[in-house]
Amino acid sequence: MADKTPTPADSAAVAAPASPPAAPERLTSAPGYQVRRLHQAYLAAWVRAVDRTLTGPQFAVLTTVHVYPGSDQSSLASAVALDTSTMADLALRLEKRGLLERRTTAADGRRKLLYLTPEGERTLAAAEARVRELDERLLDTYGPADRERLLRELTSLADRWERLGAEG
């Protein structure tokens, strides 16, 4: 009976696998694939550069509440591109962290008005500086005109894709 003990050459082959396959062209030519890659890369950069616990959507909510204090939760959901149930969950989590205050209106007990707490103001101010630094690093290879063009294109693409998604 032959010995089946792995040889050093066998171990080397297992320890050093071939490089991973490249993404097929049918993926790399798909805009959705590239958007997903971009989003994943942005999330990784956000965690490293901005905050491990404050997410991008939470930052968007804090920023928007700072600009429009006392606005109702449903209206703000649209402004930050969240559906109302996600917004309600996110606002509740921010409230539990002491960053946001939700006040019920006297006229409609279901309507929640949002306000930043002092801790929410401090958290937003600290994150804002790191977000701007990250934005600068992400766009540092673009000149001012190219940045404006890129942001117009991204905004146009997001607007169009939101409309397409709403059409069903």
Side-chain angles (χ1 to χ4, degrees), residues 80-152:
V80 295
L82 295 173
D83 61 71
T84 54
S85 63
T86 301
M87 177 65 177
D89 180 58
L90 193 146
L92 181 60
R93 282 186 274 137
L94 289 171
E95 182 179 44
K96 286 180 179 178
R97 286 181 57 194
L99 304 178
L100 194 67
E101 181 182 348
R102 296 182 317 151
R103 298 180 195 161
T104 304
T105 65
D108 182 355
R110 297 170 297 170
R111 190 167 178 235
K112 306 286 189 220
L113 306 181
L114 304 181
Y115 299 87
L116 291 183
T117 64
E119 181 61 24
E121 292 281 357
R122 284 189 293 276
T123 298
L124 177 60
E128 179 74 29
R130 292 187 302 270
V131 168
R132 294 304 148 232
E133 288 172 17
L134 176 59
D135 288 347
E136 183 57 36
R137 282 187 18 230
L138 294 173
L139 297 175
D140 66 0
T141 60
Y142 296 92
D146 287 336
R147 286 181 186 201
E148 287 181 27
R149 183 192 52 76
L150 176 62
L151 289 173
R152 275 194 315 274

Side-chain angles (χ1 to χ4, degrees), residues 55-77:
T55 66
Q58 290 171 343
F59 174 78
V61 169
L62 293 178
T63 299
T64 307
V65 171
H66 176 76
V67 173
Y68 303 108
S71 293
D72 71 275
Q73 194 169 282
S74 295
S75 297
L76 290 177

Side-chain angles (χ1 to χ4, degrees), residues 21 36-37 52 68 70 97 160 165:
R36 187 190 62 75
R37 284 185 58 223
R52 293 187 179 282
Y68 303 108
R97 286 181 57 194
R160 175 161 166 66

